[in-house]
Amino acid sequence: CVWLEIHLLSLFIFYLCNNLRTNFSVVIIHGILFSLLVLAWPSRNYITFQKGFYLTASQGATFSKGWNEKVSTDFTNVEGDAADETLNLKYLKNPVQNPNSLTTLDWSNLYTKGTKNYIASISLQEKLKIVFIKLQSNFNPFPEKAKPVFLDKLSILFRILYLFTFFQLIFRLIKKPEIEFHSRKDKVYLVVFSVLIGQIVMSIYVYTGLRFNSIYSLTMLFCFIYLNI
């Protein structure tokens, strides 16, 4: 759900930048509709559970998995989601009381608070180091830990193809920064752009990896074929 929200947001921001001056009223209407779409699920959670405004019950755990003291030494693009989300609980100001009575959402809030305290406790240099490690890991098409499975080895080819498509997008934007929405190829580049921004944001905010990148493989494969064949 979070991945989808990020991709929709990146697409809409790009749309705004290219159309706000020429189609102001239409863009405002689209902005309202987009906001309703994005806020629908968090609003549903707020009304249903009365536990706050959130996207998923696991967002605190994934946040903690992506930002902890072991990321800089142990993080890989095949085991990011296997990290221990409880590592940051020691950074809470008060110890956890009655853990057996806490709900999933309660734990999510505690993970979030502990992770924010951890991030606040480390230096800017360490923050940048963690960001670099996660970005490098995310865009590395090869498994950083051996997985002798045929399908995993075969998927390397597809990840190389969509990494190549990212470079095509960058070259296209350097050559001509503006996207022409009447151009079919530029519409495809817009999809590639949303995936790229989504991958960057999610890598920094929580974590991604080869298992998650495979979600986009089919989309990126079609983009690669359309742009090159």
Side-chain angles (χ1 to χ4, degrees):
C1 182
V2 177
W3 273 262
L4 178 60
E5 299 273 359
I6 293 294
H7 293 314
L8 288 174
L9 181 60
S10 59
L11 275 171
F12 186 67
I13 290 174
F14 207 84
Y15 169 78
L16 282 179
C17 293
N18 281 271
N19 290 273
L20 192 57
R21 292 183 180 179
T22 56
N23 299 292
F24 181 80
S25 59
V26 174
V27 168
I28 294 300
I29 294 173
H30 288 174
I32 295 173
L33 293 175
F34 174 80
S35 299
L36 292 175
L37 174 66
V38 171
L39 296 175
W41 188 254
S43 298
R44 173 262 182 194
N45 290 336
Y46 178 83
I47 294 171
T48 303
F49 302 106
Q50 297 293 315
K51 292 285 187 177
F53 198 72
Y54 63 93
L55 285 173
T56 69
S58 63
Q59 63 188 38
T62 55
F63 187 32
S64 183
K65 288 174 185 284
W67 283 92
N68 58 71
E69 59 194 23
K70 290 190 175 182
V71 171
S72 58
T73 56
D74 298 348
F75 187 86
T76 71
N77 58 10
V78 296
E79 293 183 321
D81 55 338
D84 183 3
E85 65 267 25
T86 66
L87 287 171
N88 291 327
L89 291 179
K90 62 186 177 184
Y91 291 95
L92 291 171
K93 294 180 179 179
N94 300 310
V96 178
Q97 302 291 332
N98 302 319
N100 294 331
S101 65
L102 298 179
T103 66
T104 302
L105 289 176
D106 293 329
W107 281 112
S108 181
N109 289 331
L110 290 174
Y111 293 142
T112 299
K113 291 177 181 177
T115 304
K116 288 181 177 179
N117 291 343
Y118 164 73
I119 294 173
S121 72
I122 61 178
S123 65
L124 176 60
Q125 183 179 0
E126 183 66 15
K127 291 185 181 77
L128 293 176
K129 179 182 178 182
I130 290 175
V131 167
F132 176 77
I133 287 172
K134 294 199 291 181
L135 286 174
Q136 184 184 44
S137 180
N138 176 70
F139 289 104
N140 181 2
F142 302 98
E144 294 173 336
K145 186 174 181 180
K147 295 184 68 178
V149 181
F150 173 73
L151 289 178
D152 283 335
K153 292 181 179 179
L154 180 63
S155 65
I156 293 174
L157 173 63
F158 294 99
R159 290 193 291 269
I160 291 175
L161 289 181
Y162 83 59
L163 192 61
F164 175 78
T165 309
F166 287 149
F167 283 112
Q168 281 188 285
L169 168 68
I170 294 171
F171 178 77
R172 161 66 180 81
L173 293 176
I174 292 174
K175 185 179 178 181
K176 188 178 180 181
E178 293 184 358
I179 293 290
E180 298 177 1
F181 284 89
H182 63 274
S183 167
R184 290 186 177 181
K185 275 199 170 184
D186 277 5
K187 290 178 181 177
V188 174
Y189 276 125
L190 187 58
V191 174
V192 177
F193 174 82
S194 73
V195 174
L196 177 61
I197 296 300
Q199 288 280 282
I200 291 173
V201 172
M202 294 312 298
S203 295
I204 295 173
Y205 178 54
V206 284
Y207 62 90
T208 55
L210 302 185
R211 182 167 71 85
F212 302 100
N213 292 359
S214 63
I215 298 172
Y216 314 114
S217 293
L218 188 59
T219 299
M220 294 301 294
L221 178 61
F222 280 116
C223 290
F224 172 81
I225 292 173
Y226 189 90
L227 293 172
N228 294 281
I229 298 178

